[in-house]
């Protein structure tokens, strides 16, 4: 896995040195037999050393991926802040020009201030003005200009939570003319911060020396000790505004503070501090004193004491005490992250990144513990091959609802199902407008888990784009029509079961993932041992989202259109927030073949058949051989029936009557005429009451049944003179344009199944990345792998 283990001596103790990435941890080991081993587990090494602090090398992929994702996010956030800063500077400059122009229009003092002082006094004497008034006016003029300049600079800082009322007089310090820097003392009410007279304090969040009494650093300040307690910081008078405010604004732009809430050995915190140059400070928190003691040793060994702050305390308390203070919060618990989500979304600054790991796949990715899944995540999982995809969406729904209570909206950047856990990267932004879209991006699932495996989605609300009287775009919200499916499956007749509620929007941001892939090419394979797997999984995740219609990307921030320097970095694009995912799940060809008891088609053959009919098809990172498509289930099952008819005929008696496969095969196109006549016979029996009319209808149906083959041949030969046979076939199978009808109506339109020409073209279904032989799916990285045992002590 790319780690290096050696025995070292440090500070008089013996450790096993584990190197991962650019960081190293010292892991004290004992030679006693592992309690996990013994006679009950003969495959395990009975004499392997038990770890005093939890470390799982299997999750190196998780940590490598997290370093890469946070690095891309940090670069993007700094680009967004720079463009905001540039636009604010332009607004301030234009405002100052307007003020100067208005002030100079008709102002006679402009010419007076340009005269020498003696000439001004002589001129004032001629107008009976007291001597010295010109100098006073000139000083007032200069002070007013300086005040405007300071106000413009301070406007570039982030807005404060509380501001002083304009009517209150502002106290001016005695040494108001003194220039304040980070190396000088700042005045307080007693002209001193503390009894010792030292003005420098260390911010536990940013881990930097605070020398300027900036209100955004002083508001609600608390200093955490190693035990997680708090100390109130003395009240400090605000120093006079000056040019240093600009430096404070620049520091705010480049400030990336990371919280590793459940740090264990501190390996994540060490790697973030060492490998991500944009990170300014890292807080490593753990409730175990033994863990934080090990983190302290590891921080000293890696020489990162100036960048990493260590706290022993409850993670939820730490998150609540620092609301809005972190740009990145990483939650990597042993089990579920649900208890931490509510506090985590509040601790993030606007536009911050939430990294979540959940290892309880048996809860969110199955129906075995549905009562526990609902109590923890507010939703129910699904049964079937797509269970892990449903689990990801259930967790995203939990994050979205937790954030929505505080006016926060989420944007999933990367959502992956890896080994025995899921890893999710979500951007949290303060946007009440986007929060309103949550109902339209929340759905439930009607899942035919006991029959053919088909599913139908049901959104909780609908949105429609409109324009107001002024022609401005707006979104209209309305209730969703229900139900979208009956109690039984329309394809096999078996009962369906509910799953959800779950997230119904996109789970990936392809622009964010592409940036990760670009940086991945520059990394060292010796430092990052999981590069092949990251490339394969990220490439698959980038291409797995199918949206109707394909959206036009929008910039991450409205201020991104500011006319700033062309050399400055540009923010990444994003999917429009009102987009929903109408094709949220996937299917497995092997599972479909098991329903009708036939040999399974290859993934390339299945994708080729779907693409040949004009639909889209792509892989999904969750399962090997998975296919996500915008083709309806009726078309998918028709393709499987054609596979049986063309390539793999069923053996006699392979499908038992009354099974789901038997019901599926009854819709074979060779029996389409018979099925249609059966349906018409039922309608005739219910609607006709006269014998003569019934006789006419029956004769008509019998004639159609006897001449079905000749009618079909006549239809196939009927080709317009101005069209070739291929053009005619394309016209038959052509789907309505996405610009003509909505995606919901496209899915509701039943295609003419008996007229579809299915061609299993494996070359068409082969993706371009297949030639690179990407490592898309990896299983069993080492013998006896898994989540390992919970850390002790």
């Amino acid at each position: 896995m790319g780690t290096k283990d050696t025995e070292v001596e440090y500070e008089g103790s013996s450790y096993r040195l584990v190197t991962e990435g650019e960081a190293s941890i010292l892991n004290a080991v004992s030679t006693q037999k592992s309690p996990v081993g013994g006679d009950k587990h003969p495959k395990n090494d009975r004499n392997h050393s038990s770890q005093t602090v939890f470390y799982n090398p299997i999750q190196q992929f998780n940590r490598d991926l997290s370093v890469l994702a946070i690095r891309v996010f940090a670069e993007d956030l700094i680009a967004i802040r720079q463009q905001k800063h540039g636009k604010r500077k332009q607004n301030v400059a234009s405002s100052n020009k307007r003020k100067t122009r208005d002030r100079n229009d008709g102002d006679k003092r402009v010419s007076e201030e340009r005269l020498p002082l003696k000439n001004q006094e002589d001129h004032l004497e001629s107008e009976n003005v007291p001597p010295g008034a010109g100098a006073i006016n000139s000083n007032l003029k200069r002070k007013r200009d300086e005040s405007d300049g300071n106000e413009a600079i301070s406007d570039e800082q982030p807005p404060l939570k509380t501001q002083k009322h304009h009517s209150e007089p502002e106290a001016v310090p005695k040494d108001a003319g003194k220039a304040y820097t980070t190396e000088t003392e700042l005045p307080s009410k007693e002209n001193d911060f503390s009894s010792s007279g030292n003005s420098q304090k260390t911010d536990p969040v940013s881990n930097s020396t605070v020398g300027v009494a900036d209100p955004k650093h002083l508001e609600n300040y608390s200093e955490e000790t190693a035990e997680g307690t708090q100390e109130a910081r003395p009240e400090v008078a605000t120093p006079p505004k000056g040019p240093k405010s600009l430096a404070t604004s620049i520091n705010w732009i480049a400030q990336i503070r990371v919280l590793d809430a459940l740090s264990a050995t501190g390996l994540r915190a060490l790697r973030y501090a060492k490998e991500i140059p944009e990170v300014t400070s890292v807080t490593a928190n753990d409730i175990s004193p033994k863990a934080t003691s090990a983190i302290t040793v590891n921080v000293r060994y890696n020489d990162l004491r100036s960048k990493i702050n260590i706290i022993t305390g409850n993670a939820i308390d730490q998150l609540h005490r620092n609301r809005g203070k972190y740009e990145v919060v990483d939650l990597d618990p042993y089990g579920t992250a649900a208890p931490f989500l509510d506090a985590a979304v509040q601790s993030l600054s606007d536009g911050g990144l939430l990294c979540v790991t959940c290892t309880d796949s048996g809860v969110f990715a199955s129906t075995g513990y549905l009562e526990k899944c609902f109590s923890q995540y507010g939703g129910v999982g699904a049964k079937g091959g797509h269970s892990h995809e449903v689990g990801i969406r259930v967790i995203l729904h939990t994050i979205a609802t937790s954030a929505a209570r505080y006016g926060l909206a989420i944007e999933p950047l990367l959502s992956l199902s890896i080994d025995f856990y899921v890893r999710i990267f979500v951007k949290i932004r303060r946007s009440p407008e986007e929060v309103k879209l949550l109902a339209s991006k929340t759905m439930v699932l009607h899942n035919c888990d006991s029959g053919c495996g088909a599913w139908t989605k049901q959104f909780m609300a609908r949105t429609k784009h409109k324009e107001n009287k002024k022609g401005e775009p707006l979104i209209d919200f309305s209730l969703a029509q229900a139900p979208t499916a009956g109690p039984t499956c329309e394809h096999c007749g078996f009962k369906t079961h509910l799953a959800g509620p779950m997230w119904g929007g996109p789970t990936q941001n392809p622009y964010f993932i592409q940036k990760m892939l670009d940086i991945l090419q520059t990394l060292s394979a010796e430092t990052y041992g999981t590069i092949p797997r990251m490339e394969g999984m990220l490439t698959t995740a980038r291409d797995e989202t199918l949206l109707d219609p394909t959206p036009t990307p929008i910039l991450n921030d409205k201020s991104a259109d500011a006319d700033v320097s062309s050399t400055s970095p540009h923010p990444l694009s994003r999917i429009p927030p009102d987009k929903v995912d109408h094709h949220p799940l996937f299917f497995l060809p092997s599972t479909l073949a098991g329903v009708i008891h036939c040999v399974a088609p290859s993934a390339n053959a299945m994708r080729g058949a779907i693409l040949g009919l004009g639909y889209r098809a792509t892989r999904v990172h969750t399962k090997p051989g998975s296919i996500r498509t915008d083709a309806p289930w009726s078309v998918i099952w028709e393709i499987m029936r054609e596979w049986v008819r063309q390539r793999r005929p069923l053996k006699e008696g392979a499908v038992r009557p009354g099974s789901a496969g038997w019901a599926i095969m009854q819709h074979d196109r060779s029996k389409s005429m018979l099925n249609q006549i059966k349906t018409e016979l039922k309608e005739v029996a219910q609607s006709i009451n006269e014998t003569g009319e019934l006789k006419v209808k029956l004769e008509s149906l019998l004639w159609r049944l006897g001449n079905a083959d000749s009618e079909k041949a006549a239809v196939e030969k009927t080709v317009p003179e101005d069209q070739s046979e291929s053009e005619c076939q394309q016209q038959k199978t052509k789907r309505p344009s996405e610009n003509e009808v909505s995606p919901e109506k496209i899915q509701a339109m039943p295609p003419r199944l008996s007229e579809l020409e299915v061609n299993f073209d494996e070359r068409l279904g082969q993706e371009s990345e297949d030639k690179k032989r990407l490592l898309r799916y990896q299983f069993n990285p080492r013998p006896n792998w898994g989540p390992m045992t919970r850390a002790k002590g």
Side-chain angles (χ1 to χ4, degrees):
M1 295 296 293
T3 59
K4 301 176 182 179
D5 298 0
T6 57
E7 294 288 339
V8 297
E9 293 286 335
Y10 183 71
E11 296 181 349
S13 301
S14 178
Y15 297 94
R16 188 183 67 186
L17 179 66
V18 180
T19 301
E20 184 179 288
E22 297 180 6
S24 300
I25 60 171
L26 300 173
N27 195 4
V29 295
S30 61
T31 57
Q32 63 182 359
K33 293 184 179 181
S34 171
V36 181
D39 298 335
K40 295 182 180 180
H41 301 279
K43 293 183 179 180
N44 294 341
D45 184 4
R46 299 181 183 181
N47 296 319
H48 81 276
S49 300
S50 61
Q51 301 179 103
T52 58
V53 180
F54 182 84
Y55 171 72
N56 188 354
I58 297 301
Q59 286 198 321
Q60 182 187 356
F61 176 75
N62 186 331
R63 290 182 285 265
D64 287 350
L65 191 72
S66 301
V67 169
L68 184 59
I70 294 175
R71 178 179 172 182
V72 173
F73 165 78
E75 293 178 358
D76 182 50
L77 182 61
I78 291 174
I80 293 174
R81 288 175 172 177
Q82 286 178 345
Q83 292 204 349
K84 284 183 176 180
H85 180 71
K87 185 173 183 180
R88 192 176 292 118
K89 286 177 63 177
Q90 290 182 350
N91 293 340
V92 170
S94 60
S95 177
N96 289 342
K97 289 181 181 179
R98 184 172 60 255
K99 291 179 181 179
T100 303
R101 184 174 62 252
D102 296 342
R103 190 165 52 242
N104 291 339
D105 288 345
D107 191 355
K108 296 181 180 180
R109 290 193 299 271
V110 175
S111 59
E112 296 171 357
E113 292 171 357
R114 293 178 180 175
L115 296 175
L117 182 60
K118 186 175 183 305
N119 294 341
Q120 292 182 27
E121 294 179 351
D122 294 341
H123 181 69
L124 292 171
E125 288 177 359
S126 65
E127 297 184 0
N128 297 325
V129 178
I136 295 175
N137 291 337
S138 179
N139 291 335
L140 292 175
K141 168 75 173 177
R142 285 195 297 271
K143 288 182 178 181
R144 184 167 63 247
D145 293 341
E146 292 175 359
S147 176
D148 292 340
N150 292 333
E151 181 182 354
I153 294 175
S154 64
D155 187 42
E156 298 170 358
Q157 302 179 15
L160 303 179
K161 294 181 180 179
T162 58
Q163 296 182 354
K164 186 181 292 183
H165 197 276
H166 294 291
S167 62
E168 298 179 7
E170 184 173 357
V172 180
K174 295 180 180 180
D175 49 354
K178 182 179 178 180
Y180 298 97
T181 65
T182 56
E183 285 81 17
T184 59
E185 296 181 359
L186 299 178
S188 65
K189 292 184 178 180
E190 293 79 13
N191 291 332
D192 201 348
F193 276 127
S194 62
S195 58
S196 63
N198 184 13
S199 65
Q200 295 183 350
K201 294 285 184 179
T202 300
D203 190 339
V205 177
S206 63
N207 200 30
S208 59
T209 302
V210 180
V212 179
D214 191 342
K216 74 184 181 68
H217 289 295
L218 302 180
E219 182 184 4
N220 298 331
Y221 183 88
S222 63
E223 182 174 0
E224 290 110 350
T225 63
E227 289 76 24
T229 58
Q230 299 181 356
E231 284 185 18
R233 184 166 183 169
E235 184 178 356
V236 182
T238 303
K241 297 176 181 179
K244 287 296 177 182
S245 298
L246 180 60
T248 305
S249 179
I250 299 299
N251 291 336
W252 164 75
I253 291 176
Q255 190 176 47
I256 303 295
R257 299 160 295 182
V258 181
L259 171 64
D260 186 9
L262 305 162
S263 198
T265 59
L267 181 56
R268 287 178 183 271
L270 294 169
R271 295 193 61 181
Y272 296 161
K274 264 199 168 185
E275 301 174 26
I276 307 176
E278 292 80 10
V279 170
T280 56
S281 67
V282 180
T283 300
N285 176 84
D286 201 282
I287 197 171
S288 169
K290 191 175 183 179
T292 53
S293 176
I295 295 172
T296 304
V297 175
N298 292 329
V299 169
R300 288 201 305 267
Y301 184 83
N302 289 270
D303 194 19
L304 291 171
R305 283 173 287 185
S306 62
K307 205 170 184 179
I308 297 180
N309 181 42
I310 304 171
I311 297 176
T312 303
N314 186 280
I316 298 178
D317 294 341
Q318 172 67 12
L319 293 166
H320 277 302
R321 282 198 302 266
N322 296 278
R323 296 187 179 184
K325 299 296 184 181
Y326 298 106
E327 279 70 36
V328 180
V329 172
D330 192 342
L331 301 175
D332 185 31
Y334 191 94
T336 179
F340 308 97
L341 295 178
D342 190 84
V345 296
Q346 299 179 68
S347 67
L348 286 166
S349 61
D350 189 13
L353 178 68
L354 178 62
C355 313
V356 178
T357 300
C358 292
T359 64
D360 56 332
S361 301
V363 175
F364 63 77
S366 73
T367 57
Y369 303 94
L370 61 92
E371 70 285 352
K372 188 174 183 180
C373 182
F374 190 86
S375 63
Q376 287 185 344
Y377 299 103
V380 177
K383 182 180 178 181
H386 48 265
S387 59
H388 285 77
E389 178 83 7
V390 171
I392 289 176
R393 293 184 176 275
V394 169
I395 296 173
L396 285 174
H397 170 72
T398 308
I399 301 173
T401 51
S402 299
R405 298 185 183 97
Y406 308 101
L408 304 172
I410 75 167
E411 178 195 353
L413 302 178
L414 180 63
S415 308
L416 298 178
S417 174
I418 309 166
D419 298 335
F420 55 86
Y421 61 92
V422 297
R423 183 64 167 168
I424 297 174
F425 300 89
V426 179
K427 190 171 187 178
I428 308 292
R429 56 165 52 89
R430 185 168 298 279
S431 177
E433 292 296 325
E434 293 187 20
V435 171
K436 297 178 182 178
L437 299 169
L438 180 58
S440 61
K441 293 196 291 187
T442 301
M443 69 178 188
V444 295
L445 204 67
H446 302 268
N447 190 34
C448 182
D449 48 12
S450 59
C452 64
W455 45 264
T456 306
K457 61 187 181 301
Q458 169 72 66
F459 285 95
M460 305 298 292
R462 294 187 298 181
T463 58
K464 186 177 181 180
H465 288 267
K466 291 184 177 181
E467 291 184 355
N468 58 15
K469 296 180 179 179
K470 297 181 181 180
E472 300 172 346
L474 58 86
I475 297 179
D476 181 53
F477 300 89
S478 61
L479 296 173
Q481 185 177 357
T484 56
T488 58
C489 176
E490 62 176 312
H491 307 288
C492 66
F494 276 59
K495 293 181 180 180
T496 59
H497 298 96
L498 278 177
M502 66 187 73
W503 174 258
T507 59
Q508 319 287 358
N509 183 334
Y511 315 103
F512 180 86
I513 299 175
Q514 181 58 50
K515 182 64 175 179
M516 292 180 66
L517 289 170
D518 294 341
I519 296 180
L520 191 67
Q521 306 303 320
T522 65
L523 301 181
S524 170
E526 295 182 357
T527 305
Y528 298 91
T530 61
I531 286 181
R533 190 182 184 189
M534 281 196 290
E535 183 181 10
M537 183 166 282
L538 290 176
T539 302
T540 307
R542 178 197 61 190
D543 301 331
E544 71 178 25
T545 302
L546 300 177
L547 298 179
D548 290 324
T550 302
T552 302
I554 64 175
L555 296 176
N556 248 321
D557 194 85
K558 294 182 179 179
S559 62
D561 57 353
D563 187 15
V564 296
S565 173
S566 59
T567 60
S568 61
H570 296 283
L572 297 174
S573 300
R574 59 178 296 207
I575 297 175
D578 60 315
K579 284 295 177 183
V580 298
D581 194 348
H582 289 284
H583 319 290
L585 304 178
F586 59 88
F587 69 89
L588 297 170
S590 58
T591 302
L592 303 188
V595 173
I596 57 179
H597 299 278
C598 72
V599 178
S602 65
N604 288 342
M606 195 69 182
R607 280 196 300 269
I610 294 173
L611 295 172
L613 294 177
Y615 297 94
R616 294 174 292 171
T618 183
R619 300 176 188 264
V620 180
H621 79 277
T622 310
K623 290 283 183 91
S626 56
I627 297 177
R628 174 172 289 161
T629 179
D630 56 352
W633 273 101
S634 57
V635 172
I636 294 174
W637 280 120
E638 178 64 18
I639 293 174
M640 290 301 299
R641 286 190 289 265
E642 281 297 289
W643 169 258
V644 171
R645 188 179 69 86
Q646 297 180 20
R647 302 288 185 89
R648 295 290 186 271
L650 295 179
K651 296 181 180 179
E652 185 177 356
V655 182
R656 180 172 53 84
S659 64
W662 184 83
I664 293 294
M665 296 306 297
Q666 294 306 304
H667 298 280
D668 184 30
R669 64 174 56 186
S670 61
K671 302 178 181 179
S672 58
M673 179 63 69
L674 178 61
N675 293 332
Q676 184 178 358
I677 291 179
K678 285 182 178 180
T679 304
E680 294 185 13
L681 278 174
K682 293 180 181 179
E683 296 177 354
V684 168
Q686 295 176 358
S687 60
I688 296 180
N689 298 322
E690 296 182 1
T691 306
E693 188 176 356
L694 177 60
K695 182 180 179 180
V696 172
K697 287 289 184 181
L698 290 176
E699 291 177 351
S700 174
L701 293 176
L702 290 174
W703 183 89
R704 288 174 54 192
L705 186 62
N707 296 274
D709 295 336
S710 59
E711 279 188 357
K712 182 178 179 181
V715 171
E716 291 177 351
K717 292 181 180 180
T718 305
V719 179
E721 296 180 358
D722 57 343
Q723 287 185 350
S724 63
E725 292 186 6
S726 60
E727 291 176 347
C728 183
Q729 173 62 24
Q730 292 177 1
Q731 185 70 23
K732 290 180 181 180
T733 60
K734 181 181 178 182
R735 303 174 66 217
S737 172
E738 292 168 345
N739 297 325
E740 298 173 1
V741 293
S742 64
E744 296 87 348
K745 291 184 178 179
I746 290 179
Q747 295 301 313
M749 291 179 178
R752 293 168 290 185
L753 300 179
S754 60
E755 299 179 2
L756 297 179
E757 288 192 6
V758 181
N759 182 19
F760 297 94
D761 189 349
E762 295 192 12
R763 182 172 298 180
L764 178 62
Q766 186 176 8
E767 297 181 352
S768 58
E769 288 82 2
D770 290 346
K771 299 178 181 179
K772 301 180 182 179
R773 291 191 171 274
L774 296 176
L775 183 60
R776 300 177 186 272
Y777 312 98
Q778 179 178 350
F779 294 95
N780 298 337
R782 69 172 190 176
N784 306 320
W785 71 283
M788 298 180 68
T789 314
R790 184 188 294 270
K792 306 291 184 181

